[in-house]
Amino acid sequence: MDGQPYQAGYHAATLRRHLWREHMGLLPAQKADASDDPNAQPPGDSPNEVHQGREYEFVADPLSDEVWEMWNSRASKNTDIYRRLFRSEPDDNIKTFEDYDRFLPNKNAIAGHLFDEFTPVAEIRKLLDEIKGHLVLMPMDFLKDAPMAEPGLQVNSWTESIYT
């Protein structure tokens, strides 16, 4: 790993490579009816042939600079698109409860639905087509400046160090 030779168990390595390719959007698209998908066939009828190809070798070293560059760039782009279309939360732009109120001004909006219902359909489709894989950035700064403990609330020092 990280450019150095390493040993890995066959099943662990192939599972990781498959999952990473899925998360990064490197697997080919599946048909909606799954007629040609080996995973939708009875066991033994259609073996998976996923242990080959450029993408399989690309994720062989999970610590390579190229893999991490793609991982982070796709996560950043996906996060930006989800933020724009759906105002997904939690979000790093929400640091206080006041920010939370400004981030979601429409209290009637349903979570997971389009935030701006007047966005043209062509623009929505174009943005959704740019999403690759399942990766998004983890919001590490969500509500970081918000007071979470109630004033006067008594907690022991161990609990306080974890939650505040």
Side-chain angles (χ1 to χ4, degrees):
M1 285 193 195
D2 200 16
Q4 302 299 318
Y6 69 97
Q7 290 184 347
Y10 175 79
H11 295 295
T14 55
L15 175 62
R16 181 189 51 76
R17 287 184 189 193
H18 182 80
L19 292 174
W20 277 49
R21 288 182 300 152
E22 179 183 335
H23 292 325
M24 295 172 78
L26 298 174
L27 291 177
Q30 297 175 336
K31 291 183 180 179
D33 67 359
S35 61
D36 296 329
D37 183 3
N39 295 311
Q41 308 307 318
D45 286 358
S46 181
N48 286 315
E49 298 294 334
V50 297
H51 311 303
Q52 58 190 358
R54 192 180 81 226
E55 294 85 4
Y56 185 75
E57 293 306 319
F58 177 73
V59 296
D61 185 355
L63 299 179
S64 74
D65 292 338
E66 296 82 16
V67 170
W68 280 109
E69 170 61 31
M70 179 183 281
W71 184 281
N72 288 318
S73 64
R74 290 203 172 178
S76 293
K77 186 166 189 164
N78 290 350
T79 300
D80 290 342
I81 293 170
Y82 284 125
R83 180 181 293 135
R84 180 168 176 198
L85 290 178
F86 304 109
R87 288 289 174 107
S88 302
E89 53 182 291
D91 189 283
D92 270 343
N93 292 325
I94 304 171
K95 297 191 177 23
T96 66
F97 287 109
E98 292 77 23
D99 293 342
Y100 207 156
D101 290 337
R102 284 191 297 274
F103 189 77
L104 297 173
N106 182 1
K107 302 298 181 203
N108 296 325
I110 301 170
H113 288 234
L114 287 174
F115 175 74
D116 182 3
E117 58 192 52
F118 300 108
T119 304
V121 172
E123 182 180 342
I124 294 168
R125 286 185 176 155
K126 179 184 174 293
L127 287 169
L128 290 175
D129 284 344
E130 293 177 20
I131 293 173
K132 302 292 182 211
H134 309 295
L135 300 173
V136 292
L137 297 175
M138 183 171 179
M140 301 298 288
D141 292 333
F142 178 67
L143 293 177
K144 77 172 189 172
D145 298 331
M148 294 300 202
E150 291 290 326
L153 179 66
Q154 300 242 332
V155 294
N156 62 42
S157 60
W158 187 78
T159 304
E160 185 172 352
S161 70
I162 293 175
Y163 294 107
T164 58

